[in-house]
């Protein structure tokens, strides 16, 4: 077995790069392969059956092709639906990405928390259950932002994305009254791509909860201690399911610096 454990990181698009970045930091010894299912993007606009029917066989094909030691589903819209199906179908360990409602509610001082996700994620039974089980007395507002994943991708590619378009998507997160919202959960991996803009456009400062570091820690834990190696891990690889060319270094450098995916 290679000294460099192979990890497959999967998302509908570029949002999972926010998770890959943390995995690369936590496990620089790993050989990461990133697959963006851009041919089916955005997942937030598909029905539950369509997502299950798309993701479960596609992950099976990728496992057969890449034989990863572990698979990270870096997408809330998919993870809130497909994890049980994936675990029942394939023996490789999986790490999913689901809304970080428990830590958000535990840390909120005003007891007002918003969960910002795709329209699919905020509708899921899975998300409703997380709120029932872990809201810890907080008032939790679910906000589906239908355009924010595409705006985040456009901004990452260097396209001009206006403040108004972003502000309109996040506005319902901010509730004011006897108390104000003080915590917003990134329940979509695309949204931390816009973190600087979100921070600047928020009507007042809030704590934005990005689950990526916790996902990276869980990934590292499941892999076990790194094997001593005489060779550097390969750069992460990057592939779109549409077959279009991988992203240029200009897009990826802010994430990975010298470790820009090949
Ligand atoms: N990055 C995905 C997530 O975490 C969703 C974006 C999409 O709609 O495809 O939910």
């Amino acid at each position: 077995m290679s000294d460099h454990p192979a990890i497959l990181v999967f998302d509908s698009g570029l949002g999972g790069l926010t998770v890959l970045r943390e995995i690369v930091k936590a496990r620089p010894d790993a050989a990461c392969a990133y697959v963006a299912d851009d041919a089916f993007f955005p997942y937030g606009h598909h029905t539950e059956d369509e997502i299950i029917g798309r993701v479960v066989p596609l992950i099976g094909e990728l496992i057969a092709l890449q034989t990863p030691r572990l698979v990270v589903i870096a997408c809330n819209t998919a993870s809130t639906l497909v994890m049980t199906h994936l675990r029942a179908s394939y023996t490789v360990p999986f790490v999913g990405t689901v809304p970080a409602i428990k830590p958000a509610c535990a840390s909120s001082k005003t007891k007002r928390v918003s969960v910002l996700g795709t329209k699919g994620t905020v509708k899921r039974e899975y998300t409703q259950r997380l709120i029932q089980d872990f809201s810890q007395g907080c008032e939790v507002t679910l906000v589906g932002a239908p355009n924010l994943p595409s705006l985040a991708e456009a901004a990452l590619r260097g396209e001009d994305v206006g403040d108004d378009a972003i502000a309109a998507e996040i506005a319902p997160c901010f509730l004011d009254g006897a108390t104000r919202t003080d915590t917003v959960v990134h329940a979509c991996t695309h949204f931390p791509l816009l973190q600087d803009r979100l921070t600047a456009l928020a009507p007042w400062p809030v704590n934005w909860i990005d689950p990526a570091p916790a996902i990276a820690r869980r990934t590292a834990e499941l892999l076990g201690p790194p094997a001593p190696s005489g060779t550097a891990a390969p750069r992460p690889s990057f592939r779109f399911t549409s077959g279009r060319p991988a992203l240029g270094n200009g897009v990826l450098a802010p994430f990975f610096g010298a470790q820009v995916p090949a």
Side-chain angles (χ1 to χ4, degrees):
M1 198 190 291
S2 158
D3 299 337
H4 304 297
I7 304 178
L8 168 64
V9 181
F10 177 85
D11 183 29
S12 59
L14 306 180
L17 290 174
T18 60
V19 176
L20 176 64
R21 165 176 58 186
E22 295 301 321
I23 293 173
V24 168
K25 271 193 233 160
R27 288 305 295 250
D29 60 307
C32 296
Y34 186 90
V35 176
D37 188 15
D38 66 323
F40 212 60
F41 177 84
Y43 277 14
H45 292 194
H46 290 288
T47 66
E48 298 198 349
D49 285 347
E50 283 168 353
I51 292 172
I52 295 167
R54 169 76 179 180
V55 174
V56 178
L58 176 57
I59 294 294
E61 283 166 34
L62 293 170
I63 290 172
L65 203 69
Q66 303 184 352
T67 56
R69 275 258 303 274
L70 185 144
V71 178
V72 179
I73 306 297
C75 175
N76 295 259
T77 313
S79 298
T80 47
L81 272 182
V82 301
M83 299 313 293
T84 332
H85 299 274
L86 291 175
R87 291 188 174 115
S89 307
Y90 313 112
T91 53
V92 64
F94 286 94
V95 178
T97 307
V98 297
I101 288 168
K102 189 178 179 182
C105 290
S107 66
S108 171
K109 300 267 182 299
T110 62
K111 299 279 173 203
R112 269 201 164 170
V113 172
S114 290
V115 176
L116 182 64
T118 64
K119 284 184 89 162
T121 297
V122 301
K123 269 199 304 220
R124 300 267 186 272
E125 224 179 282
Y126 189 100
T127 307
Q128 307 287 346
R129 251 200 332 269
L130 287 177
I131 294 173
Q132 267 166 33
D133 294 346
F134 300 117
S135 62
Q136 300 158 78
C138 290
E139 181 189 324
V140 178
T141 304
L142 289 167
V143 178
N147 304 313
L148 208 49
S150 300
L151 293 173
E153 296 222 346
L156 186 66
R157 288 176 204 281
E159 291 164 29
D160 203 14
V161 174
D163 284 350
D164 289 357
I166 297 174
E169 296 281 302
I170 65 169
C173 290
F174 293 85
L175 299 183
D176 205 354
T179 59
R180 276 180 163 184
T181 307
D182 70 350
T183 306
V184 178
V185 177
H186 282 308
C188 172
T189 53
H190 277 71
F191 302 163
L193 294 173
L194 289 170
Q195 190 57 65
D196 292 349
R197 308 273 309 265
L198 298 175
T199 304
L201 290 167
W204 56 83
V206 291
N207 187 17
W208 300 88
I209 308 277
D210 178 0
I215 295 162
R217 279 196 299 277
R218 178 71 187 137
T219 301
E221 191 180 282
L222 284 177
L223 285 179
S229 170
T231 57
R235 293 192 307 168
S237 68
F238 188 97
R239 172 157 107 65
F240 285 113
T241 53
S242 67
R244 75 187 153 113
L247 294 165
N249 284 2
V251 172
L252 296 171
F255 285 87
F256 301 102
Q259 275 285 87
V260 166

